[in-house]
Amino acid sequence: MRSPIKRIALSTGGGDAPGLNAVIRAATLAARNRDWDVLGIRDGFNGLLFPEQYPDGGLIQLTRDRVRGIVHLGGTIIGTTNIGNPIAYPVQQSDGTWIEVDRSEELLARFEEHRIDALITIGGDGTMGIARHLHEAGLRVVGVPKTIDNDLDKTVATFGFDSAVEFASECIDRLFSTAASHGRIIVVEVMGRYAGWIALNAGMASGAHVILIPEIPYRLEPVSALITERARRGAKFSIVCVAEGARPVGGEVSIVGKAVGQAERLGGVGAKLTAELAQMTGREARTVVLGHLLRGGSPTSFDRLLGLRFGAAAVRALDAGHNGVMVALDPPTVNYVPLAEATHRQKTVPLDCDSILTARDMGICLGDEMPTHTAIGP
């Protein structure tokens, strides 16, 4: 039987997302109300692996005062990183080549050294994969699903997604006026990696005429045909919302680079699409890339509440003896699912979901079918 919990640690990994600080506050208060000490690990797990790089030794004592007034703040007060997976840490050899080294034993030793009884780790699919590995190696772990991409399985939503969709929708709303004034095609590229949730939701909410997502490889002909038909019927402008992971039929995802120890960086599809549509339609076209703007700023009230619920639920899970699980939204409750199930596959947009059906019924072009009726609204 495991010993009672006296001290826990929190870590945030991967890209930042609105709502991280809400999780930190709720988890800290819930733990302190159980008389547990709470430590925040700097920059993912770097605070434990490289304590000499931090004036405070890589760990922050999370007190009630330290987490006061942070729920509305974007980012994370303990820092994050998407470089240097401790399970496959990049190390450069003397000949200049790189190898990946498993540093999990070293990391586990640091947890023991600091008398940390359990870990609450907050992140996306990569972080949950690390959490699963650490759990299988013997650490008490509960995961909290964070990603603006909403692509983690077994949870209805991840916090950060609603904020990203809200901001993307506002940006597209603003672009309508300049597109209409100049009679332009405007292509808006949004994040999401290999899942189209942000593009689909923001595009529909803001009235985009074309929405291109990774789940539906696109052809240029239907997109061009819709834009041309809109112009013929008096709508001289069109808005195209494209996910960064969208790709043409038979083509590849657009990748702008990959650093050692990082996942490949997607991007560039918006600019490519803009050039192609301008040539095909003969109309003026512009590109707007929202990029990291979707990660920043204050979380929406939905993401604040979800973050608070997830943080408190993670502490309740540990208190109840759960281990190796991820908290998950299953309305109206928050449940616990095994990390093995949460990391089994990526959650992508189902092609038969109601949003896809609604988009087709409204005449929104998804890039796979020639338009039979067109949306020429404002």
Side-chain angles (χ1 to χ4, degrees), residues 42-207:
R42 291 278 193 187
D43 302 335
F45 295 107
N46 286 352
L48 285 177
L49 292 175
F50 306 103
E52 69 281 357
Q53 296 182 3
Y54 298 89
D56 54 12
L59 295 172
I60 305 172
Q61 190 76 37
L62 293 176
T63 62
R64 297 178 189 277
D65 288 344
R66 189 68 183 80
V67 299
R68 181 178 294 123
I70 65 172
V71 171
H72 68 288
L73 300 177
T76 162
I77 64 169
I78 60 178
T80 187
T81 182
N82 56 9
I83 302 175
N85 179 348
I87 312 306
Y89 199 87
V91 176
Q92 189 172 26
Q93 301 185 99
S94 57
D95 62 358
T97 60
W98 293 82
I99 61 172
E100 293 182 341
V101 177
D102 185 352
R103 300 185 64 181
S104 56
E105 287 191 12
E106 179 185 351
L107 186 59
L108 291 170
R110 296 292 173 85
F111 277 104
E112 186 173 352
E113 175 187 338
H114 290 283
R115 302 188 306 279
I116 298 171
D117 301 308
L119 168 70
I120 294 175
T121 187
I122 313 157
D125 55 350
T127 301
M128 293 303 108
I130 296 169
R132 177 183 177 184
H133 183 95
L134 294 176
H135 158 65
E136 292 171 349
L139 185 67
R140 265 190 277 196
V141 182
V142 170
V144 175
K146 172 272 327 172
T147 168
I148 67 169
D149 304 334
N150 198 40
D151 60 353
L152 263 170
D153 202 18
K154 302 302 180 182
T155 181
V156 169
T158 56
F159 72 87
F161 171 64
D162 186 72
S163 299
V165 170
E166 179 70 20
F167 183 75
S169 300
E170 180 183 346
C171 290
I172 298 172
D173 288 346
R174 289 170 177 260
L175 290 169
F176 260 80
S177 59
T178 189
S181 297
H182 291 270
R184 289 172 176 161
I185 303 167
I186 293 189
V187 178
V188 186
E189 180 184 316
V190 301
M191 282 185 162
R193 295 192 63 76
Y194 299 101
W197 295 105
I198 295 176
L200 180 61
N201 283 264
M204 290 185 64
S206 56

Side-chain angles (χ1 to χ4, degrees), residues 12-48:
T12 53
D16 61 311
L20 281 165
N21 286 321
V23 179
I24 292 170
R25 174 170 167 78
T28 298
L29 295 181
R32 292 299 305 137
N33 286 338
R34 289 165 170 80
D35 292 324
W36 299 352
D37 287 335
V38 187
L39 298 176
I41 305 172
R42 291 278 193 187
D43 302 335
F45 295 107
N46 286 352
L48 285 177

Side-chain angles (χ1 to χ4, degrees), residues 8 49 110 192 205 215 248 295 343 353:
I8 67 170
L49 292 175
R110 296 292 173 85
E215 293 83 353
R295 293 193 178 281
T343 56
C353 72

